[in-house]
Amino acid sequence: MDAHRHHQEELRKLQRLQCAVQNYDWGLPAPASRVASLHALNSGLPVDPRRPYAELWMGTHDSGPCYLISNKAPLNTDNNGVAAPSTLKSWLLQHPGALGDSVLDRWGCDLPFLFKVLSVGKALSIQAHPDKDLARALHKRLPDIYRDANHKPEMALAITRFEALCGFVSLLELKDVVASVPEVGELIGNASKGRVLDFNVSDGPDKFKPLLQEVFTQLMSADKDVVAEVVSNVKNRLQAETQVRELTDKELLVLRLEEQYPGDVGVVSAFFLNYVRLEPGEALYLGANEPHAYLSGECIECMATSDNVVRAGLTPKLRDVQTLCSMLTYKQGSPEILKGISLNPYMKRYLPPFDEFEVDHCALPQGASTTFPAIPGPSIFLVMAGRGTMETDSLKEEITEGDVFFAAADCPILLTAETQLQIYRAGVSSRFLSHQ
């Protein structure tokens, strides 16, 4: 076989991946964590029952790279002369054709998306991800904190009931918050409170943005000792009121957040943000500069390849309140919930308005087969449950829960289920690929 043909054969093959796990303290304890069970199956390594398991990373980001574990993967040599498996990133540098021309032209020799599973045991920080210009500036100024120069639009697709705070509530809801939550008034002051209550709704949300930014910045920048006292007052007031009335869902959430992060300004700022609950199979997407915090549950997550986070509340980690408050879009109202577009009886596609990624969910009953057609971009497949086979050209792989595969561009995949099979696929947006 000539070298070119051999190279093409290599590209057509599926590459089996061993993925990175992250044990952030907000993760679920190992026995309850889908991330822990998938990691154990994927890596063959034991889990530590005393540690939280938060994220499984499937991609090429340097903070959690994937390794090729197929027998024929090119081996690198470590400092001791011992053969070590290649990272997916180094394999792509050697096989750029695996990405397809349009992906290579737009993003260079790397995957433009990072695919994850999240197991959320307690609230993540109130945060936003910078757009490209801000990411470049932050990375240049503080490379130890902002690790890359990329933006990070993202999407969370619920696999259990999943809760999040996301985006600012509408102007009407915010007026209600300022009028009825005395502690918010304490933190923003009477003058700001009066300006919000007096603002004419018919002037529209765009005119309100500068005032929303001013008020939210006041809230998030308030003196720590004052905040601690005010958060304690919220808790005491709501606990007393629960004796005489039923608390709202948002008030119950605020009490939960106070238990997790006592004295934290994020507890009060929750009143400013939409409280979203996703059922399994529903997805939430977030553009750059949108405030959010995941609260509980497990999800599939996909994002542009970045790990940049600007935090301002519900966290013991570094906060960058001024950057966060100045970068937000201050868009108001409920976020769009994606329910997936049916591609065939077994498959749904979640297509957010970003070029870097989309996610397909395939639920295949026992004995059934389906095809993922060849596409001009790369994919990563995660076997979430069940057992079956994955076939491309002459290669047939036995697949089981916890397996993760990279598939090159122009590589059709035939799936057959031996038991009921659940697969998630992340790939570059078909909208982007079809316009190239």
Side-chain angles (χ1 to χ4, degrees):
M1 189 188 294
D2 64 38
H4 175 72
R5 179 129 174 265
H6 177 70
H7 189 67
Q8 291 304 106
E9 287 290 307
E10 277 295 302
L11 288 192
R12 276 205 289 271
K13 287 190 180 147
L14 295 168
Q15 302 291 345
R16 193 181 281 265
L17 301 177
Q18 182 169 327
C19 305
V21 73
Q22 308 286 6
N23 299 94
Y24 306 137
D25 66 357
W26 51 257
L28 281 168
S33 166
R34 179 63 73 95
V35 166
S37 59
L38 287 170
H39 166 63
L41 292 165
N42 175 261
S43 65
L45 298 170
V47 297
D48 181 341
R50 294 157 305 178
R51 295 188 77 189
Y53 282 76
E55 298 189 352
L56 186 74
W57 284 27
M58 299 167 281
T60 55
H61 197 283
D62 293 338
S63 299
C66 280
Y67 291 89
L68 271 59
I69 50 176
S70 58
N71 297 334
K72 294 178 183 170
L75 291 175
N76 296 329
T77 305
D78 68 15
N79 297 336
N80 303 317
V82 177
S86 285
T87 63
L88 176 57
K89 191 169 185 173
S90 65
W91 185 85
L92 289 171
L93 286 167
Q94 294 163 348
H95 302 89
L99 292 163
D101 292 345
S102 51
V103 173
L104 209 49
D105 290 348
R106 171 75 183 273
W107 290 289
C109 202
D110 198 3
L111 276 185
F113 59 86
L114 177 56
F115 196 24
K116 296 182 180 181
V117 183
L118 267 60
S119 294
V120 180
K122 69 174 184 175
L124 280 71
S125 53
I126 290 176
Q127 58 185 252
H129 306 299
D131 60 29
K132 281 189 177 170
D133 290 344
L134 179 59
R136 274 193 287 268
L138 290 171
H139 178 60
K140 195 172 176 183
R141 197 176 84 223
L142 298 162
D144 290 349
I145 297 163
Y146 301 107
R147 300 288 174 83
D148 53 73
N150 201 10
H151 69 162
K152 192 186 172 188
E154 65 182 41
M155 177 174 71
L157 167 53
I159 49 181
T160 65
R161 284 202 82 184
F162 193 78
E163 297 180 296
L165 289 169
C166 159
F168 288 98
V169 296
S170 69
L171 174 51
L172 277 174
E173 285 177 88
L174 195 62
K175 279 176 171 278
D176 186 48
V177 164
V178 169
S180 64
V181 182
E183 296 82 8
V184 167
E186 275 182 70
L187 288 179
I188 65 174
N190 283 333
S192 292
K193 180 177 171 177
R195 286 169 67 204
V196 172
L197 293 175
D198 293 343
F199 190 87
N200 190 341
V201 175
S202 62
D203 286 347
D206 282 349
K207 282 230 172 85
F208 182 63
K209 275 183 188 182
L211 179 54
L212 176 57
Q213 176 167 358
E214 193 182 310
V215 168
F216 189 68
T217 305
Q218 277 176 314
L219 177 84
M220 299 304 285
S221 313
D223 177 80
K224 254 187 161 166
D225 294 339
V226 174
V227 167
E229 189 181 331
V230 165
V231 171
S232 175
N233 294 345
V234 173
K235 179 177 84 163
N236 295 336
R237 177 176 66 81
L238 291 178
Q239 283 177 339
E241 288 184 16
T242 196
Q243 309 301 316
V244 294
R245 68 174 177 92
E246 206 171 310
L247 297 186
T248 65
D249 289 348
K250 178 68 78 70
E251 288 171 331
L252 290 168
L253 172 65
V254 162
L255 283 176
R256 243 170 67 203
L257 294 176
E258 191 281 331
E259 251 176 61
Q260 294 174 7
Y261 298 97
D264 192 298
V265 71
V267 175
V268 179
S269 71
F271 284 112
F272 278 62
L273 304 174
N274 296 296
Y275 179 23
V276 179
R277 279 159 291 190
L278 301 177
E279 293 299 327
E282 294 182 331
L284 174 71
Y285 65 84
L286 297 150
N289 305 332
E290 293 293 337
H292 61 281
Y294 295 155
L295 303 173
S296 75
E298 296 183 292
C299 73
I300 291 285
E301 191 181 39
C302 201
M303 61 195 60
T305 301
S306 171
D307 198 28
N308 281 329
V309 181
V310 182
R311 298 180 181 87
L314 303 180
T315 181
K317 294 181 180 175
L318 176 95
R319 299 166 187 235
D320 195 343
V321 172
Q322 290 318 116
T323 299
L324 183 99
C325 290
S326 63
M327 73 193 263
L328 298 178
T329 61
Y330 293 97
K331 208 160 62 184
Q332 296 137 59
S334 299
E336 183 187 4
I337 305 299
L338 300 180
K339 294 181 187 285
I341 308 151
S342 273
L343 301 181
N344 64 39
Y346 309 125
M347 217 179 299
K348 276 188 171 173
R349 173 160 293 164
Y350 297 82
L351 190 57
F354 313 124
D355 287 347
E356 285 88 348
F357 62 88
E358 66 187 17
V359 173
D360 293 338
H361 175 226
C362 176
L364 208 53
Q366 183 173 3
S369 292
T370 193
T371 300
F372 284 86
I375 52 169
S379 300
I380 288 183
F381 289 85
L382 163 68
V383 184
M384 181 60 84
R387 200 173 65 248
T389 59
M390 195 181 250
E391 211 171 325
T392 178
D393 299 325
S394 57
L395 185 78
K396 190 173 185 177
E397 289 273 1
E398 298 286 328
I399 60 171
T400 185
E401 184 179 338
D403 284 348
V404 178
F405 293 91
F406 170 85
D410 306 310
C411 175
I413 303 283
L414 173 66
L415 279 182
T416 304
E418 287 171 22
T419 66
Q420 194 173 27
L421 197 56
Q422 285 225 50
I423 302 257
Y424 288 90
R425 179 196 77 94
V428 174
S429 169
S430 49
R431 212 178 275 137
F432 166 79
L433 293 173
S434 64
H435 285 114
Q436 295 310 294

